[in-house]
Amino acid sequence: MYPALSTAALAELRRPRPYPAVSLVMPTHRREPDNAQDPVRLRNLLARVEKELQDDPGVTRERRADVLSRLERAVAEVDLVHAEDGLVIHVAPGEHHVWTVARAVPERAVVADTFLTRNLVAARSAERPYWALTVAADRISLWNGAPERAVEHTADGFPLTRSLEDPDAERKERVGDLPSTFQDEDARTFFREAHEALRTVLASEPRPLYVIGEAPAVSLLEETGPLPRDTATLHQGGLGHGPEEAVRKALAPLLAAHEEAVSTTVLAELDAARSRREYAGGLDEVHEAAKEGRIRLLAVEEHYRTVVRDYGDHLEPADASDLDSRDDIVDEIVEQALETGAEVRFVPDDALADVSRIAAALRY
């Protein structure tokens, strides 16, 4: 399984590396017959990088051998049978990383002293990750979710489990002293531990939170301590162990409602920015604002990609086969905006049709 694409992981990937740091980026396909081309494309990318390393006088024999060995290990971890829309491989002396993303990426092979991360940054922003907490009397689980996946989080103390067997239950029942499942002190302690563990996760990785469980379990969690302001709850039991598909199915209506609300808010903010003359619309204006660090809120249509040629003061449409074309300019803008503290939101296709698919509210 590929690692989670967290904020901490992205920050670590963006630090400088010993030369040569290799980044391989390529589109992949989820279904036949298109996915038949993916292994061939990957082999061709590898051959291109191997030749570049062989021909580079700045790469010592030892470093070349190390990086090529790491490339082999990375490729061995690639699962093209269960591919998404893009594959990213990072290799440097002493390390290698493999990522799969649910966002189209261009084909790139880059050798430098840093990894190419803009496609990962944009993919993670477009993924709209969330946390889902399933609560029950004997098991509390946390799910690391995105629109197309939900993986159980097995760190930071999760999942929490306890036994509901009470060795003195028969005597307590006779004397009428057997408390309900969610009213005894053991249950309250169990839920307090879960609440503390959840706070730790949310502090390091803030995301929308969804809480799923029977009504008494959800109520006890809410009584235990405050939850994030926009937490959504669903009264449905039986999901403490998943499976993933059941968790995603239960959450689907809540996720759809959340996305609709976010899109409505983003479009309203853009309209307000336009009236204040703090607005940029279209690729040229937004690209310039991103370079200057003036973007407060960036809105991009879900599947917007375009190929351009950069003339310095403006961008022009180009063909992907042009040697100086840039086919991940949208991902570059997303990365630049996030670097300067902007909020980035992806909205449904055609929501920004009147401003060429991309717009921004500016700081000034």
Side-chain angles (χ1 to χ4, degrees):
M1 181 177 293
Y2 298 107
L5 193 55
S6 65
T7 301
L10 285 172
E12 168 62 19
L13 287 172
R14 296 172 76 178
R15 67 173 175 79
R17 256 64 185 184
Y19 187 85
V22 177
S23 300
L24 296 184
V25 183
M26 62 170 263
T28 52
H29 302 82
R30 297 171 184 253
R31 298 176 183 83
E32 298 177 339
D34 295 331
N35 61 4
Q37 65 184 276
D38 294 344
V40 177
R41 175 173 280 180
L42 181 56
R43 285 198 299 271
N44 290 341
L45 267 179
L46 286 171
R48 188 195 312 175
V49 169
E50 288 178 14
K51 184 177 188 310
E52 185 169 346
L53 293 176
Q54 293 286 353
D55 295 343
D56 190 338
V59 181
T60 65
R61 179 182 301 176
E62 292 77 12
R63 285 225 168 152
R64 183 184 306 116
D66 183 7
V67 170
L68 290 177
S69 172
R70 293 278 171 178
L71 268 174
E72 289 181 6
R73 291 194 217 175
V75 171
E77 295 175 11
V78 172
D79 180 7
L80 292 177
V81 175
H82 301 96
E84 294 186 289
D85 301 307
L87 174 70
V88 179
I89 296 175
H90 291 140
V91 175
E95 63 178 317
H96 69 278
H97 312 273
V98 180
W99 311 90
T100 179
V101 295
R103 176 174 169 80
V105 298
E107 183 174 300
R108 300 285 297 276
V110 178
V111 180
D113 57 4
T114 58
F115 290 141
L116 181 69
T117 60
R118 67 180 60 141
N119 307 115
L120 284 181
V121 170
R124 183 175 185 275
S125 184
E127 264 196 339
R128 304 180 300 282
Y130 63 84
W131 295 112
L133 189 75
T134 56
V135 292
D138 59 344
R139 195 174 202 273
I140 298 178
S141 305
L142 187 64
W143 298 82
N144 179 353
E148 298 192 18
R149 66 169 81 93
V151 179
E152 187 171 2
H153 185 72
T154 55
D156 303 301
F158 287 100
L160 288 85
T161 61
R162 69 172 183 135
S163 172
L164 295 182
E165 293 183 7
D166 186 342
D168 202 25
E170 187 175 337
R171 183 194 63 80
K172 290 179 179 178
E173 190 171 17
R174 284 200 308 270
V175 301
D177 193 30
L178 185 64
S180 77
T181 305
F182 296 103
Q183 290 181 350
D184 66 349
E185 187 55 35
D186 287 346
R188 295 183 182 279
T189 300
F190 182 57
F191 273 65
R192 276 196 297 270
E193 292 173 356
H195 191 273
E196 284 300 314
L198 178 64
R199 285 180 57 190
T200 299
V201 172
L202 292 176
S204 62
E205 196 73 29
R207 300 179 187 178
L209 174 65
Y210 300 90
V211 178
I212 311 172
E214 294 178 351
V218 174
S219 295
L220 179 54
L221 183 72
E222 292 172 333
E223 292 169 12
T224 301
L227 297 173
R229 181 169 54 87
D230 296 328
T231 298
T233 60
L234 176 66
H235 292 165
Q236 178 177 330
L239 293 175
H241 292 270
E244 172 193 352
E245 188 59 35
V247 173
R248 288 178 53 209
K249 183 177 180 180
L251 284 174
L254 296 180
L255 294 174
H258 176 76
E259 289 307 313
E260 184 176 352
V262 166
S263 294
T264 299
T265 300
V266 167
L267 295 177
E269 287 195 39
L270 291 175
D271 285 341
R274 196 195 301 256
S275 67
R276 296 192 304 267
R277 299 184 183 278
E278 298 173 353
Y279 174 86
L283 197 63
D284 248 337
E285 288 186 15
V286 173
H287 180 239
E288 189 64 27
K291 288 194 298 183
E292 296 170 355
R294 294 194 295 130
I295 295 180
R296 176 176 59 82
L297 168 67
L298 175 66
V300 186
E301 287 190 0
E302 188 90 38
H303 298 103
Y304 176 50
R305 302 200 68 83
T306 188
V307 182
V308 300
R309 186 180 292 109
D310 188 353
Y311 286 97
D313 58 344
H314 71 286
L315 305 173
E316 283 193 2
D319 190 272
S321 61
D322 294 346
L323 292 179
D324 56 351
S325 66
R326 297 168 65 177
D327 49 3
D328 58 356
I329 189 68
V330 176
D331 287 2
E332 181 179 324
I333 290 171
V334 169
E335 184 179 48
Q336 287 176 331
L338 289 169
E339 277 185 350
T340 54
E343 178 184 4
V344 175
R345 294 290 188 181
F346 285 79
V347 297
D349 293 343
D350 295 328
L352 302 172
D354 60 332
V355 289
S356 302
R357 317 297 178 186
I358 188 168
L362 307 179
R363 296 188 174 98
Y364 57 90

